Amino acid sequence: MRGELVRVYLPATVPMLATLRKQGTLAGGEAHAVTPMLREWYAEGDEEELEYVAFTRAAQDALRLLREDPEAPRKRVVVSADLPAGVVQRVGGELGSSTVRVDGPVAVAAVAAIHLDDDDAVADVDAAVAVVTEALAGDEDAQFTVDSVEDHELAWYDASELDELG
C-alpha cells in the first residue's frame, strides 16, 4: 500500500485557485474520496459512479465555502488531486460517507484536474449559496434549490490551464 495514490476532490473557490496559482499549493482540510464506507453503501456502483458521488459532494461543499466568502465569484470549484494515501485520513465512520481530511497542503503538481462552473450557472449557484445552511438543517425547499444547481455540470480543465482560470 505504500506509495499508493488516492484521488481526492477538494471543494474550493475562485480565490482559492488564485492562491494555488500564486503559492503553488492549496490548503488541505476536508475533502471527498471513494472510501470503504462509500463502497459499502453503493455496493452496486462501479468505480466511476463512486467517484462521481464523491465529486458531487465536494461540489456541494463548495457552496458552503462560497457562503463563507461573499466576495468570491459565484462558481463552484472542485480540485481533483492524486495524493499519497498517508496524507488522506477518513473522517467519521457512517455508512455512505465520502468525507476525508487531507493533512497538509496540496501541491499544484498533485492536481489532476480543476472543475469550475460556467457563467450560465452563476444565478443558480448564488441562489443555492443563499440557502445551503438551511438545506443542511433539513429544509426541503432549500434542499431543492441546492439540488437544482446540480443541473449545471462543472467544466473540466487540465491543471496546466490554472493560469487561465479566474
Side-chain angles (χ1 to χ4, degrees):
M1 288 278 227
R2 287 214 188 270
E4 179 184 351
L5 295 178
V6 176
R7 171 68 51 99
V8 297
Y9 302 96
L10 297 112
T13 63
V14 171
M16 292 169 76
L17 290 180
T19 300
L20 177 61
R21 184 172 39 252
K22 182 177 175 184
Q23 298 178 358
T25 61
L26 183 67
E30 192 171 289
H32 292 271
V34 176
T35 63
M37 291 83 61
L38 184 63
R39 283 186 201 286
E40 189 174 340
W41 182 256
Y42 290 93
E44 299 298 318
D46 64 19
E47 193 69 17
E48 188 174 319
E49 291 169 320
L50 295 172
E51 291 203 14
Y52 184 74
V53 170
F55 171 84
T56 300
R57 290 178 180 171
Q60 290 170 347
D61 283 354
L63 295 172
R64 290 189 333 207
L65 293 175
L66 288 169
R67 176 109 180 207
E68 295 168 9
D69 185 355
E71 300 301 314
R74 291 331 207 200
K75 294 182 177 188
R76 297 169 297 162
V77 177
V78 175
V79 176
S80 300
D82 295 320
L83 302 175
V87 302
V88 180
Q89 310 301 321
R90 285 182 277 184
V91 177
E94 57 275 354
L95 195 58
S97 175
S98 62
T99 305
V100 296
R101 185 184 73 248
V102 175
D103 293 334
V106 175
V108 71
V111 174
I114 299 164
H115 313 270
L116 176 70
D117 273 315
D118 290 325
D119 290 339
D120 66 341
V122 170
D124 289 338
V125 170
D126 191 42
V129 167
V131 298
V132 68
T133 303
E134 292 83 351
L136 291 169
D139 181 309
E140 290 182 16
D141 290 335
Q143 188 61 52
F144 180 79
T145 301
V146 169
D147 289 346
S148 70
V149 81
E150 291 177 21
D151 291 340
H152 299 280
E153 288 194 32
L154 281 76
W156 180 93
Y157 297 91
D158 187 79
S160 66
E161 297 176 275
L162 178 60
D163 289 343
E164 299 161 27
L165 300 177

